[in-house]
Amino acid sequence: DAGITQSPRHKVTETGTPVTLRCHQTENHRYMYWYRQDPGHGLRLIHYSYGVKDTDKGEVSDGYSVSRSKTEDFLLTLESATSSQTSVYFCATYRDRGLLEQYFGPGTRLTVT
Amino acid sequence: AQRVTQPEKLLSVFKGAPVELKCNYSYSGSPELFWYVQYSRQRLQLLLRHISRESIKGFTADLNKGETSFHLKKPFAQEEDSAMYYCALSGHSGNTPLVFGKGTRLSVIA
């Protein structure tokens, strides 16, 4: 699992509140990604990072922001949560040496009421 | 534009029957193709990548550039194969974000 953890694992929040999800990795991987998983849509990229303080938008970035102040942590913030952001959020890292592949975290199930 | 198409949302097969999960892609260059598997409420795991040309858990996948396909196959399905399967594509530089298909749920019936 490349030492990837996500917190919280489950969260219920109300519409309009800010929410921050955390992804933590222990392998010193340079690249990190946030995806959301929804039935009928598969996984869609929200934001990604290619280094500390280097981030870029993905396919569904509206309503989300990210920050990466340390290699090991990649934070995803929903600035004002909406019901359409109810989803399962997965963080992933890319091992850019040795066996090249993306590793996924366990996911965070977010419900916005 | 990069696109991955998995035409079947759900595929049900009997135990011991052959399985083929379809994946077609659209990409202008030379893509890297992957199959990921997600067992119930677990994280995604890499199952196969085309450049490895290996067989994992009895599954194989061949990249057909002429048909732009990367179908996943297994000759004899097992109950433990029941899961969600995602086909994914990456640009030539493997660290580019993956583009996923919408997934196919495989249900193996005893």
Side-chain angles (χ1 to χ4, degrees):
Chain A
D1 63 6
I4 304 172
T5 57
Q6 293 183 231
S7 60
R9 295 291 315 278
H10 302 271
K11 185 170 183 67
V12 179
T13 192
E14 292 183 350
T15 299
T17 59
V19 177
T20 295
L21 309 182
R22 179 182 183 236
C23 177
H24 179 78
Q25 54 120 344
T26 59
E27 301 285 325
N28 204 36
H29 293 169
R30 178 181 170 191
Y31 300 93
M32 298 184 76
Y33 312 89
W34 276 107
Y35 295 89
R36 61 177 288 174
Q37 182 183 41
D38 303 288
H41 291 278
L43 278 88
R44 293 177 292 176
L45 182 69
I46 305 171
H47 282 280
Y48 65 101
S49 170
Y50 43 94
V52 173
K53 297 189 178 175
D54 290 324
T55 65
D56 207 347
K57 295 180 179 180
E59 177 189 357
V60 289
S61 60
D62 287 349
Y64 301 94
S65 62
V66 290
S67 65
R68 191 160 178 211
S69 58
K70 299 185 290 184
T71 298
E72 57 266 35
D73 289 324
F74 192 32
L75 304 181
L76 176 71
T77 297
L78 289 65
E79 291 139 10
S80 178
T82 67
S83 58
S84 64
Q85 294 176 311
T86 293
S87 186
V88 181
Y89 291 86
F90 285 97
C91 173
T93 68
Y94 177 74
R95 175 180 283 179
D96 55 355
R97 56 190 179 278
L99 186 63
L100 306 178
E101 64 181 86
Q102 284 196 10
Y103 292 96
F104 284 81
T108 294
R109 185 172 295 273
L110 176 68
T111 301
V112 183
T113 61
Chain B
Q2 302 176 26
R3 188 170 63 246
V4 176
T5 302
Q6 293 179 249
E8 303 136 330
K9 288 185 179 179
L10 173 65
L11 183 64
S12 297
V13 301
F14 286 103
K15 178 181 174 181
V19 175
E20 183 179 47
L21 301 172
K22 291 184 168 48
C23 172
N24 289 91
Y25 68 90
S26 174
Y27 185 69
S28 57
S30 294
E32 289 196 39
L33 276 298
F34 307 83
W35 276 100
Y36 279 82
V37 61
Q38 185 182 29
Y39 300 103
S40 182
R41 291 183 175 260
Q42 294 186 23
R43 70 182 74 201
L44 276 79
Q45 306 170 39
L46 179 65
L47 182 63
L48 286 175
R49 56 187 304 170
H50 85 273
I51 62 172
S52 300
R53 292 186 168 273
E54 57 191 341
S55 174
I56 302 294
K57 299 183 180 182
F59 285 97
T60 59
D62 291 318
L63 179 60
N64 186 323
K65 292 186 177 181
E67 296 183 358
T68 59
S69 68
F70 188 56
H71 302 328
L72 183 68
K73 300 177 183 179
K74 184 171 183 177
F76 307 104
Q78 303 298 316
E79 289 180 74
E80 56 264 31
D81 296 329
S82 294
M84 196 74 179
Y85 291 81
Y86 291 98
C87 183
L89 175 154
S90 177
H92 181 66
S93 173
N95 59 14
T96 54
L98 292 172
V99 175
F100 285 87
K102 295 183 178 181
T104 298
R105 181 168 298 283
L106 175 65
S107 176
V108 180
I109 305 163

